[in-house]
Structures are given as C-alpha cells and as structure tokens.
Amino acid sequence: MTVKAVTAVVSVAATVRGRWRARRAAVRRDSGMTTSEYAVGTIAAAAFAAVLYKIVTSEAVSGALESVIGKALDAPF
C-alpha cells in the first residue's frame, strides 16, 4: 500500500470512531423516561389490560377456549 492509501484508511477509521463516539454520547444523555412518560405508559398498560380482560372473559371467547380445551382433552393418543 502506498502512503496515500494508508493515510486514507486511517482517516476513514478515525471518522468512523468519531461517529460511534458521538452516538454513544447521545445515548448516554437520554438515560431513561421522565415521570410523565412513566405515568402515560402505566395508564396505557392498565387500559390495555382492562380491554384484554373484557375480551377474554366475554362469552364468545370463553366458549371458544372451552371448545379448544375440550377438543384437546378428547384427542386420541
């Protein structure tokens, strides 16, 4: 390799290292959620759990689950 090629490779490597260093620093600055983000996330999770509970305990889903379990238990081995 020529000196010019080696210099170009070293320059590219330094640029890549610099970009990764900047990305790591940016990630470190944003270390987590704020209190309001936790509150919104908790409310959303509770709402999703309530909707899921209503769906699973409905007559249609209960009947379907009982049917599937009944077929599984009656299956020949």
Side-chain angles (χ1 to χ4, degrees), residues 3-4 8 13 26-29 33 48 53 55 59 61-62 67-68 75:
V3 173
K4 195 173 193 179
V27 168
R28 286 186 195 123
R29 283 191 300 262
M33 292 193 300
F48 180 71
Y53 176 77
I55 290 172
E59 287 294 323
V61 175
S62 293
S67 172
V68 168

Side-chain angles (χ1 to χ4, degrees), residues 12 20 33 43 46 52 65:
V12 169
W20 277 110
M33 292 193 300
I43 291 169
L52 189 60
L65 286 174

Side-chain angles (χ1 to χ4, degrees), residues 17-54:
R17 274 193 308 268
R19 287 185 181 166
W20 277 110
R21 193 173 299 124
R23 287 180 63 95
R24 282 193 305 267
V27 168
R28 286 186 195 123
R29 283 191 300 262
D30 188 21
S31 60
M33 292 193 300
T34 62
T35 303
S36 61
E37 290 171 329
Y38 276 117
V40 171
T42 302
I43 291 169
F48 180 71
V51 169
L52 189 60
Y53 176 77
K54 285 293 188 181

